[in-house]
């Protein structure tokens, strides 16, 4: 008789966004005609840029012509696309070879699936708060015990607090896989090169592997902050990196990402090269390459003109971030992030719980945000606002907070 993967029954998240929806729907039922403004989404809202659209169209046209039609593509992704990404790493002082880059359909699947090349008993460490995918995929893979209010048993939570600038101290005790996300979702904190170097040194010493999520790298404007963990000496021996076109080029619905698994990467029982080969084996077995149309869109995004246009997209969202941050600062709310990242992480006023503040914000200002407690135990007492949205809508939402929030 078939049995379910009982690890799914341990999952407690999946609760966050449905609960936001439930409370918003209930509010609207009680307040017919009210206009609810969303500052909670982690999804892009502005259209693809002209150069990207032209690239996608060219690829569609090529598929319509018998002379240029192609089927399955190169196993790790189209070579010109990987060349363009390697050139970008080179621009950050990191030398990455083409067979170290694996094009995928996004950073979310890669950040979950990557665990499968590691031992099922691996101890997983995450920043707390964190992007929920890292935790949930560890749960589904059987790498944790039961969920409690303090988190899942067996999972190592690395607190990210105001005191440590939202970058964690090194984990205590043995951990095997360490997720780091910078710029961070949800806190908007960006790790310095020195901070990343402490984890690289730790991982090399202990044989742990760092899974670095750089999905928001394009939002960094400070020239001193690292865009990739491979800017840190020795990182190729202990880290792999996941990235995406979603947030930098508006590909959240288009779907395109990549993962760099350096050949130098090792762990306790793997020689250099083996982890790279295992990820190749995993992807060629369970995934059949990103869409060829989409890869041409990604290549167009990396052209000189494409990059210029995507910088414009990022600048648009970062202007929103400034609107939100300045607006909250002006009424005395303590905010973090929002400078090199599209998320503003705010302390709830008067030490309210995240969900109590959610209700207050919705009722008084008609603005929907995301309770920090949904991202992990240390998110309690915080709240995430997102810079993704149309500038006019963001302005109206911030005005409403300024005028209607009773502090
Ligand atoms: C949005 C986001 C991603 C991107 O995921 P895709 O699957 O590429 O759309 C990855 N990591 C974090 C932390 C994110 O917020």
């Amino acid at each position: 008789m078939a049995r379910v993967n009982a690890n799914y029954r341990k999952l407690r998240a999946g609760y966050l966004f449905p609960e936001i929806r439930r409370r918003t729907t209930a509010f609207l039922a009680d307040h017919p005609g009210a206009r609810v403004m969303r500052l909670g989404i982690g999804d892009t809202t502005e259209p693809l840029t002209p150069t990207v659209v032209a690239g996608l169209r060219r690829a569609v046209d090529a598929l319509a012509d018998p002379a240029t039609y192609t089927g399955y593509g190169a196993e790790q992704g189209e070579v010109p696309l990987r060349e363009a990404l390697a050139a970008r790493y080179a621009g950050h002082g990191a030398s990455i070879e083409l067979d170290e880059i694996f094009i995928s359909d996004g950073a979310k699947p890669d950040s979950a699936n990557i665990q499968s090349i590691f031992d099922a008993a691996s101890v997983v460490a995450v920043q707390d708060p964190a992007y929920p995918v890292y935790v949930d995929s560890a749960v589904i893979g059987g790498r944790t015990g039961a969920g409690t209010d303090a988190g899942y048993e067996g999972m190592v939570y690395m607190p990210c607090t105001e005191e440590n600038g939202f970058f964690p101290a090194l984990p205590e005790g043995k951990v095997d896989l360490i997720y780091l996300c910078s710029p961070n979702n949800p806190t908007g904190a960006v790790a310095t090169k020195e901070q990343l170097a402490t984890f690289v040194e730790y991982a090399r010493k202990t044989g742990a592997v760092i899974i670095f999520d750089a999905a928001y790298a394009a939002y960094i404007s400070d020239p001193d902050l690292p865009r990739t963990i491979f800017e840190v000496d020795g990182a190729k021996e202990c880290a792999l990196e996941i990235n995406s076109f979603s947030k930098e080029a508006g590909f959240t619905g288009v779907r395109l990402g990549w993962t760099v698994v350096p050949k130098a990467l090792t762990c306790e029982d793997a020689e250099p090269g083996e982890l790279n080969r295992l990820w190749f084996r995993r992807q060629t077995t369970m995934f059949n390459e990103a869409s060829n149309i989409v890869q041409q869109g990604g290549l167009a995004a990396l052209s000189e003109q494409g990059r210029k246009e995507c910088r414009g997209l990022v600048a648009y969202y970062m202007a929103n971030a400034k609107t939100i941050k300045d607006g909250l600062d002006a009424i005395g709310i303590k905010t973090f992030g929002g400078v090199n990242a599209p998320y503003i992480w705010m302390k709830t006023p008067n030490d309210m719980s995240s969900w109590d503040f959610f209700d207050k914000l919705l009722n008084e200002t008609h603005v929907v945000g995301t309770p920090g407690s949904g991202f992990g135990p240390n998110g309690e007492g915080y709240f995430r606002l997102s810079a993704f949205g149309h500038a006019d809508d963001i302005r109206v939402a911030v005005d409403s907070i300024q005028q209607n929030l009773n502090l």
Side-chain angles (χ1 to χ4, degrees), residues 42 105-111 131 134 181 183-185 213-216 242-247 251-253 255-257 343 384:
D105 58 349
K108 180 177 181 175
D110 282 5
S111 63
Y131 183 52
Y134 316 144
C181 176
N184 192 271
N185 177 9
D213 185 342
Y216 295 97
I242 293 169
N243 207 324
S244 169
F245 287 81
S246 281
K247 311 299 171 19
F251 275 39
T252 48
R255 310 304 306 143
L256 190 66
Y343 295 113
R384 190 192 77 174

Side-chain angles (χ1 to χ4, degrees), residues 54-65 68 292-293 296:
L56 293 167
R57 287 212 170 107
R58 272 197 308 277
V60 172
D61 289 342
L63 290 177
D65 182 342
T68 50
N292 46 13
I293 299 168
Q296 290 306 312

